[in-house]
Every structure is written in C-alpha cells, then in structure tokens.
Amino acid sequence: MIKDLLFYLLSATAIVSVLAMFFQKDPVKAAISMFVTLFTTGLIYMLLGLRFLGAIQIIIYSGAIMVLFVVALTALSSFPPALSSKMDFKIPALKNLLTAPVPLALALVLTALLFGPDVQWRSPFAVSLGDLTRSIFIKHAFQFEALSLLLFIAVVAAYVFARRTNER
Amino acid sequence: MNGENLLLLSFILFSLSLLVFLTNRNLLIMLMSLELMLNAANIALVNFAFVRRSAEPAAWLFMLFAVAAAEAGIGLAILLMLARTFKTLRADLINKLRG
C-alpha cells in the first residue's frame, strides 16, 4: 500500500518536474528540473527492487551527467541568448504552482523511504546483484566489451571536437 | 503499482520531453530533453524487467547508462564547438553547414 503511494508520488514528482522544465526559461533552472526527474526515476527503480540500478541511476545520471551539464553551463554562459521557449507562457502563478511542490514532494518521499516503518526494500521481484553481474559479464560479455569500445571512441571524439574548437 | 503504470509513466515522460525538445530553441535544453527521452525509454525497459521478473532487461539497462553518458559527452562537445563557431546557442540561428 505504502509502496503504491510512494510510486504514484514519485511518478507525479517526475512528471511535474518535466513540466516545470517546459515552462522554464533559465537553463540552470531547467537543469535542476532535469536533476529532480532523474533522481526520482532512480528512487522508482529502488522502489521496484532494482536497488543497484537505482543507485547507478542516481550516481551516473543525476550525478556525473548533471555535473557535465553544469560544466557546460559555465562554459557556455557567455554565449547569448540565455534562453527561450518559442511559446512564451507568461503565467508566473502557474509556474510557481508547478515548481513549488517538487522539493516538498522529494523531501516527503525521502523521509518516508528512510524512516517509514512499513517500507520493505526487498520486493518479491528484486533482481539480485549476482544475477545482474552474471548476465552482464557472462551472457553479454561481448556487448559489454563493445560498450567499452564505444566509451573509448566517445572520449576520443569529445577530445577531437574540443581541440578543433581551440584552434579556431 | 504494475507494469501498465510503468509504461504509462514512460509514455508521459517521453511525450513531455519531446514537447520540450520541439518547443525550445536553446541547444542546451534540447540536449537535456534528449537525455530525458532516453531516461523514459529506460523506464520502459525496467517495465519489462518488472513484468518478466528477469535480470536480462536490467543488464541492458546498465549498458544503456553507459550509452547515455557517451551521448551526453559527445553532445556537449559538439555544442561547445557550435557555440564557439556561431557565437550563439540558438538553434534557429545556426543555419550554415560550413561554419
């Protein structure tokens, strides 16, 4: 029961934060909305029993990738324009209504997850870390290696793009 | 909480992210909405793990995280290059193939 309630609350938070991103004009605020969406998605994974993937989602997505976006924001802050939605919604009250519940809901959910007595972390469907690692490193070993190659190519490509821009 | 709810959440998040992508002219926010679309697709994959009670889709999800990281890295590098070449971040002002 409480898990269902948490699921709906987290889903509503994710949807509201994407909506807030739609109404935002400031890229920094949009990045914060994106962070909330990714973080609540990680919490949903944890709620479903995928605890490891939930942790990875929070660490990689809402941690590392968000840091990358923040670095890009600082690097690109000198370029105009700050931003712009094609549809210009000038309804500040609606915007406040959309953004205000986000931190509140997040704090509520975190409190319930950490201190709620009825919350059982291990659901019947929990995927154990052993099953996951066996699936990745034994059954899908080739795909995993191909993925490492992809990451290597991505690093080289990012370096090449940055170097060329420096030369101009 | 069942599979349909997860699919519905995935659909709503994907649609809203697509809406943000289509209505914005800022390249940075467009890239952010792309990330959110990939995140919505991940939720659909989690639904399959949930319904099938299997670790297989979870393994694919783990690999998709690496793909998302690579996408963000290359996307931001391209964005940086575009911004330095055209001196703007507005997608409608970047209209030349040879900068």
Side-chain angles (χ1 to χ4, degrees):
Chain A
M1 177 60 193
I2 191 164
K3 288 180 92 173
D4 285 350
L5 200 66
L6 276 176
F7 174 75
Y8 291 124
L9 198 60
L10 286 170
S11 306
T13 311
I15 291 168
V16 165
S17 55
V18 178
L19 267 178
M21 193 176 163
F22 176 68
F23 288 105
Q24 286 301 339
K25 292 193 160 197
D26 186 4
V28 179
K29 287 176 184 169
I32 291 171
S33 297
M34 182 187 165
F35 168 78
V36 172
T37 310
L38 297 175
F39 191 80
T40 45
T41 310
L43 290 180
I44 287 174
Y45 291 170
M46 284 185 174
L47 201 65
L48 291 171
L50 295 160
R51 285 185 295 170
F52 176 69
L53 284 177
I56 290 288
Q57 162 93 12
I58 290 173
I59 292 167
I60 293 184
Y61 250 125
S62 51
I65 293 182
M66 280 311 299
V67 167
L68 205 61
F69 270 100
V70 169
V71 169
L73 275 173
T74 36
L76 298 171
S77 59
S78 56
F79 294 104
L83 192 233
S84 52
S85 198
K86 263 184 183 170
M87 294 185 235
D88 196 9
F89 291 95
K90 290 183 176 174
I91 317 171
L94 181 61
K95 196 168 71 180
N96 291 340
L97 266 180
L98 281 170
T99 49
V102 174
L104 194 68
L106 202 61
L108 199 70
V109 165
L110 277 175
T111 312
L113 278 175
L114 289 174
F115 303 110
D118 295 326
V119 179
Q120 291 176 346
W121 281 98
R122 183 160 284 279
S123 72
F125 142 74
V127 173
S128 74
L129 200 54
D131 290 342
L132 189 64
T133 46
R134 265 188 291 279
S135 182
I136 291 171
F137 293 115
I138 296 174
K139 197 169 179 184
H140 300 296
F142 175 73
Q143 287 90 334
F144 186 76
E145 289 302 321
L147 202 62
S148 64
L149 188 66
L150 171 81
L151 279 176
F152 175 69
I153 293 171
V155 169
V156 173
Y159 171 72
V160 168
F161 285 139
R163 189 171 56 92
R164 280 183 183 166
T165 50
N166 282 338
E167 280 173 359
R168 280 177 190 178
Chain B
M1 182 168 63
N2 51 33
E4 284 83 8
N5 288 347
L6 271 176
L7 269 186
L8 187 66
L9 174 67
S10 166
F11 172 72
I12 292 173
L13 284 183
F14 189 91
S15 313
L16 286 176
S17 308
L18 188 65
L19 189 69
V20 174
F21 181 83
L22 292 177
T23 54
N24 256 297
R25 286 179 293 183
N26 188 308
L27 284 172
L28 204 57
I29 294 198
M30 287 168 84
L31 191 63
M32 283 181 199
S33 56
L34 268 183
E35 286 288 334
L36 286 179
M37 275 192 252
L38 193 59
N39 183 53
N42 285 350
I43 295 177
L45 206 58
V46 162
N47 168 60
F48 294 125
F50 186 68
V51 171
R52 290 180 59 191
R53 306 255 189 275
S54 148
E56 285 286 307
W60 286 107
L61 184 64
F62 180 78
M63 296 184 194
L64 271 178
F65 285 151
V67 174
E71 180 226 326
I74 294 184
L76 286 173
I78 292 175
L79 216 69
L80 207 63
M81 191 177 70
L82 280 174
R84 283 183 180 165
T85 307
F86 290 95
K87 310 288 179 207
T88 181
L89 273 178
R90 278 178 57 153
D92 53 342
L93 294 181
I94 300 173
N95 51 12
K96 287 179 189 166
L97 279 179
R98 291 190 64 188

